[in-house]
PDB file of all heavy atoms in Angstrom:
ATOM      1  N   ALA R   4      -5.493 -58.640 -43.765  1.00  0.00           N
ATOM      2  CA  ALA R   4      -5.696 -60.054 -44.091  1.00  0.00           C
ATOM      3  C   ALA R   4      -4.594 -60.913 -43.461  1.00  0.00           C
ATOM      4  O   ALA R   4      -4.870 -61.990 -42.915  1.00  0.00           O
ATOM      5  CB  ALA R   4      -5.721 -60.261 -45.602  1.00  0.00           C
ATOM      6  N   HIS R   5      -3.345 -60.431 -43.531  1.00  0.00           N
ATOM      7  CA  HIS R   5      -2.243 -61.184 -42.939  1.00  0.00           C
ATOM      8  C   HIS R   5      -2.363 -61.223 -41.417  1.00  0.00           C
ATOM      9  O   HIS R   5      -2.108 -62.255 -40.795  1.00  0.00           O
ATOM     10  CB  HIS R   5      -0.906 -60.574 -43.354  1.00  0.00           C
ATOM     11  CG  HIS R   5      -0.540 -60.881 -44.764  1.00  0.00           C
ATOM     12  ND1 HIS R   5      -0.837 -60.029 -45.801  1.00  0.00           N
ATOM     13  CD2 HIS R   5       0.080 -61.958 -45.310  1.00  0.00           C
ATOM     14  CE1 HIS R   5      -0.408 -60.552 -46.927  1.00  0.00           C
ATOM     15  NE2 HIS R   5       0.148 -61.731 -46.665  1.00  0.00           N
ATOM     16  N   VAL R   6      -2.724 -60.106 -40.836  1.00  0.00           N
ATOM     17  CA  VAL R   6      -2.900 -60.059 -39.379  1.00  0.00           C
ATOM     18  C   VAL R   6      -3.998 -61.023 -38.959  1.00  0.00           C
ATOM     19  O   VAL R   6      -3.854 -61.764 -37.977  1.00  0.00           O
ATOM     20  CB  VAL R   6      -3.215 -58.619 -38.909  1.00  0.00           C
ATOM     21  CG1 VAL R   6      -3.604 -58.601 -37.435  1.00  0.00           C
ATOM     22  CG2 VAL R   6      -2.034 -57.703 -39.164  1.00  0.00           C
ATOM     23  N   GLU R   7      -5.075 -61.053 -39.698  1.00  0.00           N
ATOM     24  CA  GLU R   7      -6.182 -61.957 -39.375  1.00  0.00           C
ATOM     25  C   GLU R   7      -5.756 -63.415 -39.511  1.00  0.00           C
ATOM     26  O   GLU R   7      -6.127 -64.246 -38.681  1.00  0.00           O
ATOM     27  CB  GLU R   7      -7.380 -61.651 -40.283  1.00  0.00           C
ATOM     28  CG  GLU R   7      -8.639 -62.393 -39.897  1.00  0.00           C
ATOM     29  CD  GLU R   7      -9.114 -62.067 -38.487  1.00  0.00           C
ATOM     30  OE1 GLU R   7      -8.950 -60.920 -38.031  1.00  0.00           O
ATOM     31  OE2 GLU R   7      -9.648 -62.980 -37.832  1.00  0.00           O
ATOM     32  N   ARG R   8      -4.951 -63.731 -40.530  1.00  0.00           N
ATOM     33  CA  ARG R   8      -4.467 -65.106 -40.688  1.00  0.00           C
ATOM     34  C   ARG R   8      -3.570 -65.507 -39.518  1.00  0.00           C
ATOM     35  O   ARG R   8      -3.622 -66.647 -39.054  1.00  0.00           O
ATOM     36  CB  ARG R   8      -3.724 -65.259 -42.013  1.00  0.00           C
ATOM     37  CG  ARG R   8      -4.672 -65.311 -43.201  1.00  0.00           C
ATOM     38  CD  ARG R   8      -3.954 -65.460 -44.502  1.00  0.00           C
ATOM     39  NE  ARG R   8      -3.187 -66.692 -44.568  1.00  0.00           N
ATOM     40  CZ  ARG R   8      -2.267 -66.918 -45.505  1.00  0.00           C
ATOM     41  NH1 ARG R   8      -2.003 -66.000 -46.422  1.00  0.00           N
ATOM     42  NH2 ARG R   8      -1.610 -68.055 -45.509  1.00  0.00           N
ATOM     43  N   ILE R   9      -2.756 -64.564 -39.048  1.00  0.00           N
ATOM     44  CA  ILE R   9      -1.895 -64.847 -37.891  1.00  0.00           C
ATOM     45  C   ILE R   9      -2.755 -65.099 -36.659  1.00  0.00           C
ATOM     46  O   ILE R   9      -2.526 -66.046 -35.904  1.00  0.00           O
ATOM     47  CB  ILE R   9      -0.910 -63.683 -37.649  1.00  0.00           C
ATOM     48  CG1 ILE R   9       0.104 -63.625 -38.787  1.00  0.00           C
ATOM     49  CG2 ILE R   9      -0.218 -63.830 -36.307  1.00  0.00           C
ATOM     50  CD1 ILE R   9       0.934 -62.360 -38.803  1.00  0.00           C
ATOM     51  N   LEU R  10      -3.745 -64.240 -36.443  1.00  0.00           N
ATOM     52  CA  LEU R  10      -4.601 -64.379 -35.258  1.00  0.00           C
ATOM     53  C   LEU R  10      -5.436 -65.650 -35.301  1.00  0.00           C
ATOM     54  O   LEU R  10      -5.803 -66.183 -34.259  1.00  0.00           O
ATOM     55  CB  LEU R  10      -5.510 -63.154 -35.113  1.00  0.00           C
ATOM     56  CG  LEU R  10      -4.802 -61.835 -34.781  1.00  0.00           C
ATOM     57  CD1 LEU R  10      -5.807 -60.690 -34.764  1.00  0.00           C
ATOM     58  CD2 LEU R  10      -4.070 -61.926 -33.465  1.00  0.00           C
ATOM     59  N   GLN R  11      -5.738 -66.146 -36.478  1.00  0.00           N
ATOM     60  CA  GLN R  11      -6.523 -67.371 -36.615  1.00  0.00           C
ATOM     61  C   GLN R  11      -5.659 -68.628 -36.678  1.00  0.00           C
ATOM     62  O   GLN R  11      -6.180 -69.732 -36.721  1.00  0.00           O
ATOM     63  CB  GLN R  11      -7.411 -67.296 -37.865  1.00  0.00           C
ATOM     64  CG  GLN R  11      -8.440 -66.189 -37.823  1.00  0.00           C
ATOM     65  CD  GLN R  11      -9.322 -66.275 -36.592  1.00  0.00           C
ATOM     66  OE1 GLN R  11      -9.739 -67.349 -36.177  1.00  0.00           O
ATOM     67  NE2 GLN R  11      -9.608 -65.127 -35.994  1.00  0.00           N
ATOM     68  N   ASN R  12      -4.350 -68.454 -36.656  1.00  0.00           N
ATOM     69  CA  ASN R  12      -3.429 -69.574 -36.706  1.00  0.00           C
ATOM     70  C   ASN R  12      -3.623 -70.463 -35.472  1.00  0.00           C
ATOM     71  O   ASN R  12      -3.597 -69.984 -34.353  1.00  0.00           O
ATOM     72  CB  ASN R  12      -1.993 -69.029 -36.752  1.00  0.00           C
ATOM     73  CG  ASN R  12      -0.970 -70.126 -36.888  1.00  0.00           C
ATOM     74  OD1 ASN R  12      -0.913 -71.022 -36.065  1.00  0.00           O
ATOM     75  ND2 ASN R  12      -0.171 -70.033 -37.927  1.00  0.00           N
ATOM     76  N   PRO R  13      -3.808 -71.782 -35.654  1.00  0.00           N
ATOM     77  CA  PRO R  13      -4.056 -72.674 -34.512  1.00  0.00           C
ATOM     78  C   PRO R  13      -2.900 -72.712 -33.501  1.00  0.00           C
ATOM     79  O   PRO R  13      -3.124 -72.772 -32.297  1.00  0.00           O
ATOM     80  CB  PRO R  13      -4.246 -74.048 -35.142  1.00  0.00           C
ATOM     81  CG  PRO R  13      -4.381 -73.843 -36.586  1.00  0.00           C
ATOM     82  CD  PRO R  13      -3.900 -72.485 -36.921  1.00  0.00           C
ATOM     83  N   LYS R  14      -1.671 -72.673 -33.977  1.00  0.00           N
ATOM     84  CA  LYS R  14      -0.526 -72.701 -33.059  1.00  0.00           C
ATOM     85  C   LYS R  14      -0.462 -71.407 -32.246  1.00  0.00           C
ATOM     86  O   LYS R  14      -0.158 -71.434 -31.053  1.00  0.00           O
ATOM     87  CB  LYS R  14       0.762 -72.909 -33.835  1.00  0.00           C
ATOM     88  CG  LYS R  14       0.840 -74.263 -34.490  1.00  0.00           C
ATOM     89  CD  LYS R  14       2.224 -74.798 -34.466  1.00  0.00           C
ATOM     90  CE  LYS R  14       2.435 -76.073 -35.190  1.00  0.00           C
ATOM     91  NZ  LYS R  14       1.425 -77.016 -35.284  1.00  0.00           N
ATOM     92  N   PHE R  15      -0.748 -70.287 -32.887  1.00  0.00           N
ATOM     93  CA  PHE R  15      -0.764 -69.012 -32.180  1.00  0.00           C
ATOM     94  C   PHE R  15      -1.863 -69.007 -31.117  1.00  0.00           C
ATOM     95  O   PHE R  15      -1.642 -68.610 -29.982  1.00  0.00           O
ATOM     96  CB  PHE R  15      -0.973 -67.857 -33.175  1.00  0.00           C
ATOM     97  CG  PHE R  15      -0.997 -66.510 -32.525  1.00  0.00           C
ATOM     98  CD1 PHE R  15       0.176 -65.890 -32.135  1.00  0.00           C
ATOM     99  CD2 PHE R  15      -2.197 -65.861 -32.302  1.00  0.00           C
ATOM    100  CE1 PHE R  15       0.161 -64.646 -31.530  1.00  0.00           C
ATOM    101  CE2 PHE R  15      -2.235 -64.613 -31.698  1.00  0.00           C
ATOM    102  CZ  PHE R  15      -1.042 -64.012 -31.313  1.00  0.00           C
ATOM    103  N   LYS R  16      -3.039 -69.503 -31.492  1.00  0.00           N
ATOM    104  CA  LYS R  16      -4.153 -69.575 -30.538  1.00  0.00           C
ATOM    105  C   LYS R  16      -3.816 -70.492 -29.365  1.00  0.00           C
ATOM    106  O   LYS R  16      -4.120 -70.178 -28.218  1.00  0.00           O
ATOM    107  CB  LYS R  16      -5.421 -70.071 -31.232  1.00  0.00           C
ATOM    108  CG  LYS R  16      -6.100 -69.044 -32.077  1.00  0.00           C
ATOM    109  CD  LYS R  16      -7.376 -69.634 -32.638  1.00  0.00           C
ATOM    110  CE  LYS R  16      -8.205 -68.598 -33.338  1.00  0.00           C
ATOM    111  NZ  LYS R  16      -9.476 -69.136 -33.801  1.00  0.00           N
ATOM    112  N   GLU R  17      -3.194 -71.629 -29.650  1.00  0.00           N
ATOM    113  CA  GLU R  17      -2.837 -72.568 -28.587  1.00  0.00           C
ATOM    114  C   GLU R  17      -1.813 -71.943 -27.640  1.00  0.00           C
ATOM    115  O   GLU R  17      -1.913 -72.080 -26.418  1.00  0.00           O
ATOM    116  CB  GLU R  17      -2.268 -73.859 -29.182  1.00  0.00           C
ATOM    117  CG  GLU R  17      -1.909 -74.882 -28.130  1.00  0.00           C
ATOM    118  CD  GLU R  17      -1.300 -76.144 -28.730  1.00  0.00           C
ATOM    119  OE1 GLU R  17      -1.156 -76.237 -29.961  1.00  0.00           O
ATOM    120  OE2 GLU R  17      -0.963 -77.038 -27.937  1.00  0.00           O
ATOM    121  N   MET R  18      -0.823 -71.242 -28.209  1.00  0.00           N
ATOM    122  CA  MET R  18       0.185 -70.594 -27.380  1.00  0.00           C
ATOM    123  C   MET R  18      -0.444 -69.544 -26.472  1.00  0.00           C
ATOM    124  O   MET R  18      -0.180 -69.502 -25.274  1.00  0.00           O
ATOM    125  CB  MET R  18       1.259 -69.931 -28.248  1.00  0.00           C
ATOM    126  CG  MET R  18       2.335 -69.244 -27.438  1.00  0.00           C
ATOM    127  SD  MET R  18       3.373 -68.127 -28.393  1.00  0.00           S
ATOM    128  CE  MET R  18       2.192 -66.942 -28.981  1.00  0.00           C
ATOM    129  N   VAL R  19      -1.304 -68.710 -27.022  1.00  0.00           N
ATOM    130  CA  VAL R  19      -1.964 -67.675 -26.232  1.00  0.00           C
ATOM    131  C   VAL R  19      -2.839 -68.303 -25.151  1.00  0.00           C
ATOM    132  O   VAL R  19      -2.844 -67.866 -23.998  1.00  0.00           O
ATOM    133  CB  VAL R  19      -2.790 -66.739 -27.146  1.00  0.00           C
ATOM    134  CG1 VAL R  19      -3.673 -65.818 -26.334  1.00  0.00           C
ATOM    135  CG2 VAL R  19      -1.866 -65.933 -28.042  1.00  0.00           C
ATOM    136  N   SER R  20      -3.554 -69.366 -25.492  1.00  0.00           N
ATOM    137  CA  SER R  20      -4.425 -70.040 -24.540  1.00  0.00           C
ATOM    138  C   SER R  20      -3.632 -70.656 -23.392  1.00  0.00           C
ATOM    139  O   SER R  20      -3.982 -70.493 -22.222  1.00  0.00           O
ATOM    140  CB  SER R  20      -5.233 -71.116 -25.260  1.00  0.00           C
ATOM    141  OG  SER R  20      -5.942 -71.897 -24.354  1.00  0.00           O
ATOM    142  N   ARG R  21      -2.560 -71.364 -23.709  1.00  0.00           N
ATOM    143  CA  ARG R  21      -1.746 -72.000 -22.669  1.00  0.00           C
ATOM    144  C   ARG R  21      -1.092 -70.962 -21.755  1.00  0.00           C
ATOM    145  O   ARG R  21      -1.054 -71.128 -20.538  1.00  0.00           O
ATOM    146  CB  ARG R  21      -0.660 -72.861 -23.287  1.00  0.00           C
ATOM    147  CG  ARG R  21      -1.144 -74.189 -23.769  1.00  0.00           C
ATOM    148  CD  ARG R  21       0.043 -75.023 -24.165  1.00  0.00           C
ATOM    149  NE  ARG R  21      -0.373 -76.354 -24.567  1.00  0.00           N
ATOM    150  CZ  ARG R  21       0.485 -77.301 -24.881  1.00  0.00           C
ATOM    151  NH1 ARG R  21       1.780 -77.068 -24.841  1.00  0.00           N
ATOM    152  NH2 ARG R  21       0.050 -78.489 -25.232  1.00  0.00           N
ATOM    153  N   LYS R  22      -0.572 -69.907 -22.367  1.00  0.00           N
ATOM    154  CA  LYS R  22       0.088 -68.867 -21.573  1.00  0.00           C
ATOM    155  C   LYS R  22      -0.913 -68.174 -20.662  1.00  0.00           C
ATOM    156  O   LYS R  22      -0.637 -67.914 -19.496  1.00  0.00           O
ATOM    157  CB  LYS R  22       0.746 -67.852 -22.510  1.00  0.00           C
ATOM    158  CG  LYS R  22       1.675 -66.919 -21.833  1.00  0.00           C
ATOM    159  CD  LYS R  22       2.419 -66.078 -22.859  1.00  0.00           C
ATOM    160  CE  LYS R  22       3.477 -65.247 -22.206  1.00  0.00           C
ATOM    161  NZ  LYS R  22       4.256 -64.481 -23.150  1.00  0.00           N
ATOM    162  N   SER R  23      -2.080 -67.905 -21.168  1.00  0.00           N
ATOM    163  CA  SER R  23      -3.120 -67.258 -20.370  1.00  0.00           C
ATOM    164  C   SER R  23      -3.576 -68.160 -19.232  1.00  0.00           C
ATOM    165  O   SER R  23      -3.714 -67.715 -18.092  1.00  0.00           O
ATOM    166  CB  SER R  23      -4.304 -66.895 -21.261  1.00  0.00           C
ATOM    167  OG  SER R  23      -5.321 -66.324 -20.510  1.00  0.00           O
TER     168      SER R  23
END
Side-chain angles (χ1 to χ4, degrees):
H5 285 94
V6 171
E7 188 60 34
R8 285 180 61 194
I9 292 168
L10 293 176
Q11 297 305 319
N12 183 303
K14 294 216 185 329
F15 180 78
K16 284 183 172 184
E17 181 182 0
M18 180 194 61
V19 170
S20 172
R21 281 188 177 184
K22 192 172 187 177
S23 178

